[in-house]
Amino acid sequence: MQPSDLKNLKIAVVGAGYGGAAAAKALSLLGADVNVHEQANQIREAGAGIGLRPSTMNRFREWGIFDAIAKVSSPSDRFEILTPSGDPIVQEAWPAAGDQVHTHLIHRGDFIDALLGVLPEGMVHLGDKLETVQDKGDGAVLTFANGKTVEADLVIGADGIKSVVRKELFSDKDPVFSGEHAYRAVISMDDAHGMVVDDNLRMYIGRGTKIYLLPLRHRGQVSFDITALCPDGTWAPQVTKNDLLATVEGFDERLVNITRHLDLATVNIRAVYDIDPVDTWHSDSVVLMGDAAHSMLHHQGQGANSAIEDAGALADALKQADSVKEALALFQAIRKPVTDELQRISRQGWSEGEIDEVFPGQKPAALGSEK
C-alpha cells in the first residue's frame, strides 16, 4: 500500500498483550492511525520468564526499540536439556538470525511494560471489554461492554486464547486441554541453591515432569517452572505443596528443595491449554494474530515470539500489498504454515508411556495428536 493510503488507515487492535502491543508499534511506524483496546483496567503480566529469540530481537531493532528490551533482559548463549539428576542430554546454541545470536531472557511483566512504554500516550484504551464484532466487508464495528462503539478499516484480533474476535467470526471451537499443569514462580537467586551460574536456560526432564530454570540475573532472580502431566482440566486448579513435591520426586535434591520452599501464594498455577489450528485467520477487514490465531503449548517457547513475528509480518504485508484485503491474505499465507507446524511440534511433548500412566485408556486431544 502507498504511504498515503497507510496514513489514512484506521486500525483497531483488540488486546494489549505482546502481540497487540507489538502490532501497534509496527503499524504506527507505517503512519497508520492505531488504537489498542484492552479489557483489563490495569495491565499486569503474571507468570515468570520467557526467552526472546534472535529473530524477535531483530524485529525490535528494526522498530527502534531494541535498547528498551535489552536493558530489562539478559542475553543467553545456549540452552541445555538434562536428566532429573543433572546429567547433560543436549546442549545447543540458540538458532542465530543474522547478527543476532543471543536469546534474551526476560520477565513477562518487564516485557509487556517495555512494549507498552514505547507506544504513544493515549494509544492504549483500558477497560474496553469486547462484546461483538460486526464485519462490514470494507471495515468493521466493535462494540464494548462499557457502551463504546468503534469503527475501523482494519480490526486486529490479538485477544488471546479465549479470543472474542475468533469466536465471533472465524471458529467456535473451544480451547483444548493439554493434560498438563504449569506451576510458575520467580525466586531470588539466593534461593536457587547455587544451580544458576550463567544466563543459560536449563530444562530437566523426568517421567511426566519437566523443570525449567530460566535465569533473570539482571534482576537477581530465577524463573522456576514445573510442567507436569495431570488430568485436572480446571483452568485455575487447586494445588497443595504436597502435590508439587510429588511432581518433582526423583529430581536433583536442590530442585526438590526449591519446590519445598516455594510460597504457594506467589506461584502461578494453571492448567495448560492450546487451540486446534484455525482454517482461516482473516476476512477482508478483520484478522487474527498471536494466541487468538494459533495459541500453542509452551514446550517450544514460541508463544510470545510467534506473536511478535506476526506483528512484523502483518506490517510487512501491508507495505507490500495493494490493499488491506490482499495484505491479510499475504499475511496468512506467510505465517500460518509456520505456526501450524509449531503447534504440531509443541504437542509432541510426552511419551506414550507417560501419557498412559496418567490417562489410562484415554488422553486429551492435544497430547501426541497431529491435527
Side-chain angles (χ1 to χ4, degrees), residues 100-123:
Q100 289 296 320
V101 298
H102 294 110
T103 283
H104 282 246
L105 307 182
I106 191 168
H107 188 280
R108 292 170 180 267
D110 293 342
F111 183 33
I112 194 61
D113 286 347
L115 280 178
L116 293 175
V118 299
L119 298 182
E121 186 175 352
M123 181 177 283

Side-chain angles (χ1 to χ4, degrees), residues 320-352:
Q320 295 169 19
D322 293 329
S323 66
V324 170
K325 177 181 177 180
E326 291 180 13
L328 300 187
L330 176 60
F331 165 68
Q332 176 173 317
I334 291 171
R335 290 295 299 153
K336 183 170 164 54
V338 175
T339 60
D340 279 355
E341 179 63 6
L342 287 172
Q343 284 183 298
R344 186 191 69 81
I345 293 172
S346 73
R347 287 181 164 184
Q348 308 302 304
W350 307 99
S351 72
E352 288 298 322

Side-chain angles (χ1 to χ4, degrees), residues 30 62-63 71 85 92 94 146 192 223 275 289 354 357 367:
L30 302 182
E62 175 187 331
W63 300 336
K71 74 179 183 181
S85 60
E92 291 186 8
W94 296 103
N146 56 15
S223 178
I275 62 173
M289 66 167 293
E354 290 172 291
E357 283 183 15
L367 282 171

Side-chain angles (χ1 to χ4, degrees), residues 80-87 89 195 202-206 209-213 227 251-252 254-255:
E80 300 177 21
I81 301 176
L82 307 99
T83 66
S85 60
D87 295 324
I89 299 174
M195 298 196 75
R202 290 177 174 85
M203 178 173 69
Y204 298 79
I205 299 181
T209 299
K210 298 172 183 175
I211 300 177
Y212 303 81
L213 279 180
T227 298
F251 280 80
D252 186 309
R254 293 172 296 176
L255 296 171

Side-chain angles (χ1 to χ4, degrees), residues 1 5-12 32-33 135-142 150-156 283-287 318 323-325 328:
M1 296 175 67
D5 295 327
L6 290 169
K7 287 182 179 179
N8 290 323
L9 194 64
K10 185 175 181 180
I11 300 176
D33 176 12
D135 189 342
K136 302 175 68 175
D138 59 349
V141 179
L142 304 176
V150 170
E151 295 189 34
D153 303 308
L154 170 60
V155 167
I156 299 171
S283 64
D284 292 349
S285 59
V286 182
V287 66
L318 284 167
S323 66
V324 170
K325 177 181 177 180
L328 300 187

Side-chain angles (χ1 to χ4, degrees), residues 13-68:
V13 181
V14 182
Y18 310 136
K25 181 61 181 180
L27 298 174
S28 65
L29 289 173
L30 302 182
D33 176 12
V34 182
N35 284 277
V36 182
H37 302 275
E38 166 60 41
Q39 68 174 346
N41 292 310
Q42 180 180 0
I43 297 177
R44 294 181 300 175
E45 183 61 42
I50 55 175
L52 302 175
R53 301 297 178 87
S55 58
T56 301
M57 298 303 294
N58 282 337
R59 283 293 187 184
F60 294 147
R61 190 178 295 281
E62 175 187 331
W63 300 336
I65 63 174
F66 180 93
D67 290 343

